[in-house]
Amino acid sequence: MTRRLLITGGAGFIGVNAAQAFSREGWEVTLLDNLSRPGTEENLAWLRRRYNVAFVRADIRDPAAVDRIVKECAPLHAVLHLAAQVAVTTSVADPRDDFAINALGTLNVLEAVRRYSPESLILFSSTNKVYGRLDGISVIREGTRYRFADGMVGIDERTPLDFHSPYGCSKGAADQYILDYARIYNLRTTSFRQSCIYGPHQFGIEDQGWVAWFTIAALLRRPITIYGDGLQVRDVLHVDDLVAAYRAAIEEPNNCVGEAFNIGGGPDNTLSLRELLSELERELGVSVAHAFADWRPGDQKIYVSDISKARERLGWWPVISARQGIVKMLQWVRQNQDTIERVLVGKR
C-alpha cells in the first residue's frame, strides 16, 4: 500500500528537500503552500519537473481549506507541519499575523488531522527559540566564539521553556499544542525543536537562514550585517540530515509520540557567525565585507543542541559535517546564481 505524506509549507526549502526524499522512496506526497515566501515558486517548479507530487495552494490560516485538504488526502501516514512565519524581526513588526500563522495555523492543522486522519503521525517543525535567551546559563568569550562556562555540551529537552519575542511565543504556543494533543486527544504528534537548518533550495535572507544568507551574500558580493558581536554560536544541521531525522521518527513512531526532541548539528557541528565568514573566505579566496549592528530581540549568545535523546530514541545523528555542508551550500548557490539573484536581488 502506498504511503501518503502531507507537507505544509511544502514549497519551502525544507519541504522541497523532504518531498524529494520521500518521493524517491515511493511515497504519495501532497504539498500545501501559499507561495508567499520568495523562492517558493521556483522550488515548486523545480520539484514538479522531477517528481510526481500533488500541490494545493492554500493558507494554514484558513481552517476550511486545511480541513478540505486533509480530508481529501486521508488516510495520511504522516504530516510534516513546516508552514510558518520564520523571522523574529517580522514577528516584532506584525505580531498578530505571526500568531495567526504559527499558533492558530498549527491549531488548524491539528484539528483537521483529529477530525479526518487521526492515525497520522504529525511532525512539527519547532525551534530552539522556545528556550528563550538562556539567561540562566553561564557563557564566556573564548577566541572567535562564546562557549558554555560550566563544560555543558548542549541544551537538552529538560531546559525550561522561556519564550522571547512574538516569534518565540507563537512557535512556543504551537509546540505546546502539538504535545498536548497527544495527551488530551491521543494524536500521534511530536515536536522537533530545530536549530539552524541549511541546504539547497534555501533562499536565505538577512532576517532568517543565516548560513544560506552569508553564503549567498559572500558569492554575490552583497553587504552582510552582523547583529551583535558575531561571536554567537549555533549548531548547524544540513537539511539532508534533518530529513533523515524525519524518516527515523516516521519509521518508529512509538519512540517519539508525545515527545519533543532537540534536533540540530549538536556539539560536533558548531559555528560562530565570525567563524562562518572565515570559512567562506577560505573557500572563496576573497575577503567578505561585513558591518555590525545592535543585537536583535531574544538572540542567544550560544545555542547548541544536546541531541542525545534523538540518538537514543530515534537512532539518529548527523553525518554531514559543518565544513562538508558549507561546501555543498556553496555548490548549490554557484549552480543557481541567476535564479537566486532574480528572487532575492530583483535582477531580471
Side-chain angles (χ1 to χ4, degrees):
M1 180 179 176
T2 302
R3 295 193 287 183
R4 295 177 177 175
L5 175 68
L6 173 65
I7 307 177
T8 72
F13 109 89
I14 295 177
V16 165
N17 281 280
Q20 173 183 230
F22 284 100
S23 293
R24 283 175 174 171
E25 295 170 11
W27 285 65
E28 186 177 305
V29 178
T30 299
L31 312 179
L32 183 163
D33 204 297
N34 68 1
L35 301 182
S36 61
R37 185 174 173 86
T40 50
E41 293 188 15
E42 286 76 9
N43 283 344
L44 180 62
W46 177 90
L47 186 66
R48 296 178 86 176
R49 285 195 298 269
R50 291 162 176 80
Y51 302 97
N52 184 25
V53 298
F55 170 70
V56 183
R57 185 165 187 168
D59 195 309
I60 60 169
R61 288 171 289 187
D62 181 349
V66 178
D67 279 357
R68 174 179 54 81
I69 293 163
V70 171
K71 185 177 181 180
E72 290 175 354
C73 292
L76 287 158
H77 192 82
V79 176
L80 293 184
H81 178 34
L82 312 180
Q85 191 295 111
V86 294
V88 171
T89 50
T90 301
S91 79
V92 172
D94 192 349
R96 183 177 296 276
D97 197 48
D98 173 80
F99 177 86
I101 297 169
N102 291 345
L104 187 56
T106 296
L107 182 62
N108 290 339
V109 172
L110 284 166
E111 282 292 280
V113 172
R114 183 167 75 92
R115 292 189 186 102
Y116 302 113
S117 191
E119 298 303 315
S120 303
L121 176 69
I122 305 176
L123 272 168
F124 174 57
S125 176
S126 187
T127 172
N128 60 37
K129 295 297 184 184
V130 300
Y131 298 118
R133 294 194 308 177
L134 302 171
D135 288 335
I137 294 176
S138 298
V139 171
I140 61 174
R141 176 174 176 166
E142 185 177 79
T144 58
R145 59 168 49 207
Y146 291 107
R147 70 172 177 84
F148 296 119
D150 57 3
M152 68 184 295
V153 296
I155 305 301
D156 68 23
E157 295 82 359
R158 296 167 296 181
T159 303
L161 303 182
D162 184 21
F163 309 153
H164 280 245
S165 79
Y167 172 75
C169 290
S170 65
K171 291 292 282 188
D175 179 287
Q176 293 302 284
Y177 266 98
I178 287 286
L179 299 181
D180 198 56
Y181 265 57
R183 291 189 290 256
I184 301 302
Y185 299 110
N186 293 317
L187 284 192
R188 293 149 58 87
T189 62
T190 189
S191 182
F192 277 9
R193 294 170 181 165
Q194 296 167 187
S195 193
C196 294
I197 315 300
Y198 68 99
H201 306 287
Q202 186 177 24
F203 294 86
I205 58 175
E206 185 176 65
D207 289 342
Q208 195 274 332
W210 66 279
V211 174
W213 168 241
F214 278 24
T215 306
I216 290 167
L219 271 169
L220 302 186
R221 301 297 180 94
R222 297 292 161 182
I224 293 175
T225 301
I226 293 177
Y227 295 90
D229 54 21
L231 305 179
Q232 303 98 301
V233 168
R234 301 290 184 268
D235 60 317
V236 297
L237 183 70
H238 192 273
V239 69
D240 287 353
D241 280 329
L242 175 62
V243 172
Y246 291 154
R247 185 183 296 109
I250 289 171
E251 294 300 331
E252 298 291 342
N254 291 335
N255 293 335
C256 64
V257 166
E259 300 279 351
F261 294 86
N262 290 348
I263 301 292
D268 294 333
N269 294 287
T270 64
L271 286 170
S272 73
L273 276 63
R274 293 193 188 197
E275 288 167 354
L276 175 58
L277 286 179
S278 296
E279 188 69 26
L280 290 170
E281 289 178 334
R282 183 162 44 250
E283 290 291 336
L284 297 173
V286 299
S287 178
V288 178
H290 56 278
F292 291 87
D294 290 340
W295 291 81
R296 294 192 283 198
D299 201 3
Q300 302 150 327
K301 287 186 175 179
I302 179 171
Y303 182 88
V304 178
S305 304
D306 182 337
I307 57 175
S308 301
K309 182 177 177 180
R311 186 163 191 149
E312 293 165 4
R313 299 284 290 276
L314 304 177
W316 170 88
W317 60 91
V319 298
I320 299 172
S321 71
R323 175 164 287 185
Q324 291 170 330
I326 291 167
V327 171
K328 286 175 175 284
M329 190 77 215
L330 279 167
Q331 182 181 27
W332 179 78
V333 174
R334 285 192 177 104
Q335 292 173 346
N336 295 274
Q337 183 169 328
D338 290 345
T339 301
I340 292 167
E341 287 188 315
R342 184 176 70 251
V343 170
L344 299 183
V345 186
K347 288 187 177 180
R348 300 293 174 183

Short mmCIF file of all heavy atoms in Angstrom, two decimals, residues 130-131 154-161 176 179 191-193 259-264 303-314 316:
data_model
loop_
_atom_site.label_atom_id
_atom_site.label_comp_id
_atom_site.label_asym_id
_atom_site.label_seq_id
_atom_site.Cartn_x
_atom_site.Cartn_y
_atom_site.Cartn_z
N VAL A 130 12.18 28.38 21.59
CA VAL A 130 11.27 28.13 22.71
C VAL A 130 12.01 28.19 24.04
O VAL A 130 11.38 28.32 25.10
CB VAL A 130 10.55 26.77 22.58
CG1 VAL A 130 9.74 26.72 21.30
CG2 VAL A 130 11.52 25.60 22.66
N TYR A 131 13.34 28.13 24.02
CA TYR A 131 14.13 28.20 25.25
C TYR A 131 14.56 29.62 25.60
O TYR A 131 15.26 29.83 26.61
CB TYR A 131 15.37 27.31 25.13
CG TYR A 131 15.04 25.85 24.94
CD1 TYR A 131 15.42 25.18 23.78
CD2 TYR A 131 14.35 25.14 25.91
CE1 TYR A 131 15.12 23.84 23.60
CE2 TYR A 131 14.05 23.79 25.73
CZ TYR A 131 14.43 23.15 24.58
OH TYR A 131 14.14 21.82 24.40
N GLY A 154 25.51 20.94 25.64
CA GLY A 154 24.41 21.48 24.87
C GLY A 154 23.14 21.60 25.68
O GLY A 154 23.09 21.20 26.85
N ILE A 155 22.12 22.13 25.06
CA ILE A 155 20.82 22.34 25.68
C ILE A 155 19.96 21.10 25.45
O ILE A 155 19.75 20.69 24.30
CB ILE A 155 20.13 23.58 25.09
CG1 ILE A 155 21.04 24.82 25.21
CG2 ILE A 155 18.78 23.82 25.74
CD1 ILE A 155 21.43 25.17 26.61
N ASP A 156 19.46 20.51 26.53
CA ASP A 156 18.60 19.35 26.34
C ASP A 156 17.13 19.72 26.56
O ASP A 156 16.80 20.86 26.89
CB ASP A 156 19.03 18.18 27.24
CG ASP A 156 18.82 18.43 28.73
OD1 ASP A 156 17.97 19.26 29.10
OD2 ASP A 156 19.50 17.76 29.53
N GLU A 157 16.26 18.74 26.37
CA GLU A 157 14.82 18.99 26.38
C GLU A 157 14.26 19.30 27.76
O GLU A 157 13.10 19.71 27.87
CB GLU A 157 14.08 17.80 25.76
CG GLU A 157 14.37 17.56 24.29
CD GLU A 157 15.65 16.80 24.02
OE1 GLU A 157 16.36 16.44 25.01
OE2 GLU A 157 15.97 16.54 22.85
N ARG A 158 15.05 19.10 28.80
CA ARG A 158 14.60 19.42 30.15
C ARG A 158 14.79 20.90 30.49
O ARG A 158 14.33 21.36 31.54
CB ARG A 158 15.33 18.56 31.18
CG ARG A 158 15.05 17.06 31.04
CD ARG A 158 16.02 16.24 31.87
NE ARG A 158 17.38 16.39 31.37
CZ ARG A 158 18.44 15.77 31.90
NH1 ARG A 158 18.27 14.97 32.94
NH2 ARG A 158 19.64 15.95 31.40
N THR A 159 15.44 21.64 29.61
CA THR A 159 15.65 23.06 29.83
C THR A 159 14.31 23.78 29.88
O THR A 159 13.45 23.56 29.02
CB THR A 159 16.50 23.65 28.69
OG1 THR A 159 17.74 22.93 28.61
CG2 THR A 159 16.79 25.12 28.92
N PRO A 160 14.10 24.64 30.88
CA PRO A 160 12.80 25.33 30.99
C PRO A 160 12.49 26.17 29.75
O PRO A 160 13.37 26.83 29.18
CB PRO A 160 12.98 26.22 32.22
CG PRO A 160 14.05 25.55 33.03
CD PRO A 160 14.98 24.95 32.02
N LEU A 161 11.24 26.14 29.34
CA LEU A 161 10.80 26.97 28.23
C LEU A 161 10.72 28.42 28.69
O LEU A 161 10.32 28.70 29.81
CB LEU A 161 9.44 26.52 27.71
CG LEU A 161 9.35 25.06 27.25
CD1 LEU A 161 7.95 24.76 26.72
CD2 LEU A 161 10.40 24.73 26.20
N GLN A 176 3.61 23.59 22.25
CA GLN A 176 2.88 23.03 23.39
C GLN A 176 1.54 22.44 22.96
O GLN A 176 1.10 21.42 23.50
CB GLN A 176 2.69 24.10 24.46
CG GLN A 176 4.00 24.52 25.10
CD GLN A 176 4.74 23.34 25.73
OE1 GLN A 176 4.36 22.86 26.80
NE2 GLN A 176 5.78 22.87 25.08
N LEU A 179 2.25 18.93 21.62
CA LEU A 179 2.47 17.93 22.66
C LEU A 179 1.18 17.64 23.43
O LEU A 179 0.91 16.49 23.79
CB LEU A 179 3.56 18.41 23.62
CG LEU A 179 4.95 18.64 22.98
CD1 LEU A 179 5.95 19.08 24.04
CD2 LEU A 179 5.44 17.40 22.25
N SER A 191 7.32 16.97 18.38
CA SER A 191 7.87 18.29 18.09
C SER A 191 9.38 18.21 17.95
O SER A 191 10.06 17.73 18.86
CB SER A 191 7.49 19.27 19.21
OG SER A 191 7.98 20.56 18.93
N PHE A 192 9.89 18.67 16.82
CA PHE A 192 11.33 18.77 16.60
C PHE A 192 11.75 20.23 16.81
O PHE A 192 11.41 21.10 16.00
CB PHE A 192 11.69 18.35 15.18
CG PHE A 192 11.83 16.86 14.99
CD1 PHE A 192 11.47 15.96 15.98
CD2 PHE A 192 12.33 16.36 13.80
CE1 PHE A 192 11.60 14.59 15.80
CE2 PHE A 192 12.47 14.99 13.60
CZ PHE A 192 12.10 14.11 14.59
N ARG A 193 12.44 20.48 17.92
CA ARG A 193 12.94 21.83 18.21
C ARG A 193 14.26 22.01 17.47
O ARG A 193 15.33 21.70 17.98
CB ARG A 193 13.08 22.01 19.72
CG ARG A 193 11.72 21.99 20.42
CD ARG A 193 11.83 21.93 21.92
NE ARG A 193 10.48 21.88 22.51
CZ ARG A 193 10.23 21.55 23.76
NH1 ARG A 193 11.23 21.23 24.58
NH2 ARG A 193 8.98 21.52 24.20
N GLU A 259 6.40 13.50 22.35
CA GLU A 259 7.71 13.91 22.83
C GLU A 259 8.25 15.08 22.01
O GLU A 259 7.92 15.25 20.83
CB GLU A 259 8.70 12.75 22.72
CG GLU A 259 8.32 11.51 23.51
CD GLU A 259 8.68 11.63 24.98
OE1 GLU A 259 9.39 12.59 25.35
OE2 GLU A 259 8.27 10.74 25.75
N ALA A 260 9.13 15.86 22.65
CA ALA A 260 9.89 16.90 21.96
C ALA A 260 11.34 16.45 21.86
O ALA A 260 11.88 15.82 22.79
CB ALA A 260 9.80 18.22 22.71
N PHE A 261 11.96 16.79 20.74
CA PHE A 261 13.37 16.44 20.51
C PHE A 261 14.12 17.67 20.04
O PHE A 261 13.64 18.39 19.15
CB PHE A 261 13.49 15.35 19.44
CG PHE A 261 12.93 14.02 19.83
CD1 PHE A 261 11.59 13.74 19.65
CD2 PHE A 261 13.74 13.04 20.39
CE1 PHE A 261 11.05 12.51 20.00
CE2 PHE A 261 13.22 11.80 20.75
CZ PHE A 261 11.87 11.54 20.56
N ASN A 262 15.28 17.91 20.62
CA ASN A 262 16.17 18.94 20.11
C ASN A 262 16.94 18.35 18.93
O ASN A 262 17.66 17.35 19.08
CB ASN A 262 17.14 19.42 21.19
CG ASN A 262 16.44 20.21 22.27
OD1 ASN A 262 15.28 20.60 22.11
ND2 ASN A 262 17.12 20.48 23.37
N ILE A 263 16.76 18.96 17.76
CA ILE A 263 17.34 18.45 16.52
C ILE A 263 18.25 19.51 15.92
O ILE A 263 17.79 20.59 15.51
CB ILE A 263 16.24 18.07 15.50
CG1 ILE A 263 15.30 17.01 16.08
CG2 ILE A 263 16.88 17.58 14.20
CD1 ILE A 263 15.91 15.65 16.30
N GLY A 264 19.53 19.22 15.89
CA GLY A 264 20.50 20.15 15.32
C GLY A 264 21.79 19.42 15.02
O GLY A 264 21.88 18.19 15.14
N TYR A 303 23.75 28.72 21.38
CA TYR A 303 22.77 27.64 21.43
C TYR A 303 23.37 26.44 20.72
O TYR A 303 23.72 26.52 19.52
CB TYR A 303 21.43 27.99 20.79
CG TYR A 303 20.47 26.83 20.93
CD1 TYR A 303 19.68 26.71 22.05
CD2 TYR A 303 20.45 25.80 19.99
CE1 TYR A 303 18.86 25.61 22.23
CE2 TYR A 303 19.64 24.70 20.16
CZ TYR A 303 18.86 24.60 21.28
OH TYR A 303 18.06 23.50 21.48
N VAL A 304 23.51 25.35 21.44
CA VAL A 304 23.97 24.09 20.88
C VAL A 304 23.00 23.02 21.35
O VAL A 304 22.73 22.89 22.54
CB VAL A 304 25.40 23.74 21.35
CG1 VAL A 304 25.83 22.38 20.79
CG2 VAL A 304 26.38 24.83 20.94
N SER A 305 22.46 22.26 20.42
CA SER A 305 21.51 21.22 20.76
C SER A 305 22.21 20.02 21.39
O SER A 305 23.19 19.51 20.83
CB SER A 305 20.77 20.73 19.50
OG SER A 305 20.14 21.78 18.82
N ASP A 306 21.72 19.59 22.52
CA ASP A 306 22.09 18.28 23.04
C ASP A 306 21.17 17.28 22.32
O ASP A 306 19.96 17.25 22.56
CB ASP A 306 21.88 18.22 24.54
CG ASP A 306 22.30 16.88 25.16
OD1 ASP A 306 22.34 15.88 24.41
OD2 ASP A 306 22.56 16.83 26.37
N ILE A 307 21.72 16.48 21.43
CA ILE A 307 20.92 15.58 20.60
C ILE A 307 20.93 14.15 21.13
O ILE A 307 20.57 13.21 20.41
CB ILE A 307 21.38 15.63 19.13
CG1 ILE A 307 22.87 15.27 19.02
CG2 ILE A 307 21.11 17.01 18.53
CD1 ILE A 307 23.36 15.17 17.57
N SER A 308 21.29 14.00 22.40
CA SER A 308 21.38 12.65 22.97
C SER A 308 20.04 11.92 22.92
O SER A 308 20.00 10.71 22.64
CB SER A 308 21.86 12.73 24.43
OG SER A 308 23.10 13.36 24.53
N LYS A 309 18.96 12.62 23.20
CA LYS A 309 17.65 11.97 23.22
C LYS A 309 17.29 11.43 21.84
O LYS A 309 16.79 10.30 21.70
CB LYS A 309 16.58 12.95 23.70
CG LYS A 309 15.19 12.35 23.80
CD LYS A 309 14.19 13.37 24.35
CE LYS A 309 12.77 12.81 24.38
NZ LYS A 309 11.79 13.80 24.90
N ALA A 310 17.54 12.23 20.79
CA ALA A 310 17.25 11.76 19.44
C ALA A 310 18.11 10.57 19.07
O ALA A 310 17.66 9.64 18.40
CB ALA A 310 17.46 12.90 18.44
N ARG A 311 19.34 10.58 19.52
CA ARG A 311 20.23 9.45 19.23
C ARG A 311 19.74 8.19 19.92
O ARG A 311 19.72 7.10 19.33
CB ARG A 311 21.66 9.78 19.66
CG ARG A 311 22.67 8.72 19.26
CD ARG A 311 24.09 9.23 19.33
NE ARG A 311 25.01 8.31 18.72
CZ ARG A 311 26.13 8.65 18.12
NH1 ARG A 311 26.44 9.93 18.01
NH2 ARG A 311 26.93 7.74 17.58
N GLU A 312 19.33 8.32 21.18
CA GLU A 312 18.90 7.16 21.95
C GLU A 312 17.54 6.64 21.50
O GLU A 312 17.33 5.42 21.39
CB GLU A 312 18.87 7.52 23.43
CG GLU A 312 20.23 7.80 24.02
CD GLU A 312 20.16 8.50 25.37
OE1 GLU A 312 19.02 8.70 25.88
OE2 GLU A 312 21.23 8.86 25.90
N ARG A 313 16.59 7.56 21.26
CA ARG A 313 15.21 7.14 20.98
C ARG A 313 14.96 6.88 19.49
O ARG A 313 14.15 6.02 19.14
CB ARG A 313 14.24 8.22 21.47
CG ARG A 313 14.30 8.47 22.97
CD ARG A 313 13.62 7.37 23.76
NE ARG A 313 12.19 7.41 23.56
CZ ARG A 313 11.36 8.21 24.24
NH1 ARG A 313 11.83 9.03 25.17
NH2 ARG A 313 10.07 8.18 24.01
N LEU A 314 15.64 7.63 18.62
CA LEU A 314 15.38 7.52 17.19
C LEU A 314 16.52 6.86 16.43
O LEU A 314 16.38 6.56 15.24
CB LEU A 314 15.13 8.91 16.58
CG LEU A 314 13.99 9.73 17.19
CD1 LEU A 314 13.91 11.10 16.53
CD2 LEU A 314 12.67 8.99 17.07
N TRP A 316 19.25 8.34 15.59
CA TRP A 316 19.62 9.35 14.60
C TRP A 316 20.73 10.23 15.11
O TRP A 316 20.78 10.58 16.30
CB TRP A 316 18.41 10.23 14.27
CG TRP A 316 18.76 11.43 13.43
CD1 TRP A 316 18.82 11.50 12.08
CD2 TRP A 316 19.15 12.73 13.91
NE1 TRP A 316 19.22 12.75 11.67
CE2 TRP A 316 19.42 13.53 12.78
CE3 TRP A 316 19.29 13.29 15.19
CZ2 TRP A 316 19.84 14.86 12.88
CZ3 TRP A 316 19.71 14.61 15.30
CH2 TRP A 316 19.97 15.38 14.14
#
